[in-house]
Amino acid sequence: MNQFNRVKKQAPKAVLLLSSLLMGTPWLSHAQQANTQAETAATSPANESKNNPLKQVKTYTCPMHPEVISHEPGRCPKCNMFLVEQQDDANSAEHVGHQAADHQASEHGQTLAAKASSPVFDTPTPKADSLVKTQNNVTTIKYVCPMHAHIISDVPGTCPICGMNLEKVETGGNTQEINIQVSGSMQQALALKVAQVERDTLWKFVETVGQVDYNESQITHIHARVTGWVEKLMVKSMGDTVKKGQLLYELYSPDLVNAQDDYLLALDTAKTSGNQRYQDLVRRAGLRLSFLGFNDEQIKQLAQSRQTQYRVPFYAQQDGVVETLSIRDGMYIEPSTEAMSLVDLSKVWVIADVFENEQSWVAKGQKAEVAVPAMNIRGIEGTIDYIYPELDPVTRSLRVRVVLNNTNVDLRPKTLAKVSLFGGPNRDVLVIPQEALIQTGKENRVIVKQDDNSFAAKVVTVGMMSQGKAEIVSGLTEGERVVISGQFLLDSEASLKGSLMRLSSGHQH
């Protein structure tokens, strides 16, 4: 029993040893393999990058044309700029690790580019003084970098900074022309439109607004020349139409009664005495009645009837419309009281405002055409009757008076009207569309199309501008083509390339 028990106790040790050998070997091999891979990855990262082709590919792109992408360094096929490496987020850590090496490589690349372009920029260039002296007679050709305006050369080449092709710039004479090259596809993209310089007749034409007003020379103010009372008023309200000879009102006045009695007394005395002196007294008594408001017919009737009128009638002296009415029935009036005013509307005024810079175009006697859109009236012809001597200090405009015939009384005062004033013509002058002008305040410029792809900026002298056209005094010749749409983009491009003063500033390489 003891021997059996001893064997039974030793058996488990052998089994455990055997099982440990069988199970421990694979575990050990896997652990050793993992440790070996970790050491390999830690000691040779270059081998890992060689085994991973995704990390080897680098992308280069053009700063001016992002659509140009390459996997090798070089130049842009469109603008010739150096391609720059495109950085990804996944390689940012690696980029930090290799920043010093890239900096040295970029310096080396710039050094090679500078050496390659040294024959272009080492060429001696004329001094600024000599360039200014010869600019009036000789056309100077320079080559400028579009991105770095201080890079200027006398011969074609590339920019040592960005690698772009130098653009040709021609300057000469007093016009300071700058040629711009624009391809046909770019012209379509910019929607460029041109118009031809031609000869035409420009009329001095002013279009403005005015207001229909009463003709003040046709206004009659009616006053009673004596004191008295209005007994019968025939005009009831303002705006009533009155005909010549129509009864306006009747007035009782003791002064008028006394004047009639004196006239009748003078008549009786002259008739009975037959003395010439009394005939003169009759004449003066009748003249007094006339000054007090009696017309010739009333005086003649008084002499025939020999009856004094206590209610003296007063009649209209002209046709017209009642503008003001200040009396009513039974009112006591004095000579200072304006009973009413009548205005004749057969002729009316139109007072128009002309801008200050157009006042030299306006003269007395010029033709005018008036339209009243509110009343559907057009094409009324008139003449400038008067030009007021001073300008309105607020609106800085000059008032012009136009007289119109209004026989049918179609035009109503205080109505707004459109007024067109026609001055003298400027015949056979060079004109361009007004939208072609580039007005800077100091000078006027236009963009001239020289051939299919070449444009130039020119300084011009402008004369009168009328009806959407501008007169060109100097700077252009007949037949040239000017840009009327998109010219501001081309002008900014010309300014970017530089002017003669920038070429003469001494920043040459």
Side-chain angles (χ1 to χ4, degrees), residues 92-384:
S92 59
E94 183 180 355
H95 173 68
V96 173
H98 296 282
Q99 184 175 8
D102 291 343
H103 180 67
Q104 293 178 358
S106 63
E107 288 182 352
H108 180 66
Q110 292 182 0
T111 302
L112 293 179
K115 290 181 179 179
S117 59
S118 60
V120 176
F121 295 98
D122 291 341
T123 304
T125 57
K127 297 298 183 179
D129 296 337
S130 61
L131 181 59
V132 173
K133 291 179 182 178
T134 60
Q135 66 179 353
N136 293 331
N137 299 324
V138 181
T139 300
T140 305
I141 298 178
K142 294 293 181 180
Y143 297 88
V144 184
C145 175
M147 293 296 295
H148 305 87
H150 61 280
I151 302 298
I152 304 170
S153 175
D154 289 336
V155 295
T158 58
C159 176
I161 299 177
C162 63
M164 292 188 70
N165 293 328
L166 301 181
E167 293 288 341
K168 180 181 177 182
V169 177
E170 294 184 5
T171 61
N174 295 326
T175 56
Q176 299 184 2
E177 286 189 15
I178 299 178
N179 287 344
I180 311 162
Q181 299 295 327
V182 182
S183 63
S185 59
M186 183 59 67
Q187 293 181 34
Q188 293 181 356
L190 297 177
L192 296 184
K193 296 181 181 179
V194 296
Q196 193 169 9
V197 182
E198 58 186 4
R199 292 193 174 273
D200 199 356
T201 299
L202 288 184
W203 288 83
K204 294 178 180 179
F205 176 76
V206 179
E207 189 169 5
T208 181
V209 295
Q211 178 177 282
V212 181
D213 207 342
Y214 294 112
N215 187 345
E216 295 181 2
S217 63
Q218 301 293 326
I219 297 178
T220 301
H221 298 275
I222 300 175
H223 289 258
R225 300 182 181 183
V226 293
T227 58
W229 289 263
V230 178
E231 294 293 336
K232 186 178 182 181
L233 180 64
M234 302 303 297
V235 179
K236 299 303 181 182
S237 62
M238 294 173 55
D240 288 352
T241 302
V242 175
K243 298 295 182 181
K244 183 177 180 179
Q246 178 180 336
L247 177 63
L248 299 179
Y249 61 92
E250 293 180 353
L251 182 67
Y252 167 70
S253 173
D255 294 336
L256 291 177
V257 173
N258 293 335
Q260 293 179 73
D261 292 340
D262 292 342
Y263 179 73
L264 293 177
L265 179 60
L267 285 176
D268 293 339
T269 305
K271 184 177 181 181
T272 56
S273 65
N275 193 344
Q276 186 64 28
R277 178 183 177 185
Y278 290 104
Q279 294 295 331
D280 186 62
L281 182 62
V282 172
R283 184 185 62 81
R284 286 185 292 176
L287 188 61
R288 179 188 178 194
L289 288 175
S290 177
F291 287 155
L292 292 179
F294 279 75
N295 55 32
D296 295 339
E297 186 66 27
Q298 287 177 296
I299 297 175
K300 186 183 297 186
Q301 184 179 0
L302 177 62
Q304 292 176 356
S305 64
R306 302 296 179 99
Q307 297 291 328
T308 301
Q309 290 182 315
Y310 290 91
R311 298 172 63 174
V312 179
F314 287 88
Y315 301 94
Q317 302 297 321
Q318 66 178 27
D319 295 340
V321 176
V322 178
E323 182 189 11
T324 58
L325 181 62
S326 304
I327 60 174
R328 292 296 180 219
D329 285 331
M331 182 180 290
Y332 175 78
I333 59 176
E334 297 178 345
S336 60
T337 304
E338 182 184 27
M340 64 185 70
S341 62
L342 302 179
V343 57
D344 185 7
L345 293 181
S346 61
K347 289 186 178 181
V348 294
W349 287 351
V350 176
I351 308 299
D353 293 327
V354 176
F355 289 116
E356 183 177 5
N357 60 342
E358 297 174 336
Q359 59 180 322
S360 61
W361 295 6
V362 180
K364 185 177 179 180
Q366 285 181 349
K367 298 297 181 181
E369 186 175 296
V370 179
V372 183
M375 302 178 66
N376 198 21
I377 299 175
R378 292 177 176 84
I380 305 176
E381 295 184 357
T383 56
I384 297 179

Side-chain angles (χ1 to χ4, degrees), residues 50-66:
K50 291 181 181 180
N51 295 330
N52 190 357
L54 295 177
K55 295 185 178 181
Q56 287 182 349
V57 178
K58 293 184 179 181
T59 303
Y60 298 88
T61 184
C62 174
M64 294 294 294
H65 303 88

Side-chain angles (χ1 to χ4, degrees), residues 445-476:
R445 294 195 299 269
V446 295
I447 302 297
V448 179
K449 187 174 184 181
Q450 296 181 333
D451 53 36
D452 292 340
N453 297 329
S454 179
F455 297 83
K458 288 188 177 182
V459 178
V460 296
T461 304
V462 181
M464 66 175 293
M465 291 187 289
S466 176
Q467 296 173 288
K469 296 182 180 180
E471 176 190 1
I472 300 300
V473 179
S474 63
L476 294 176

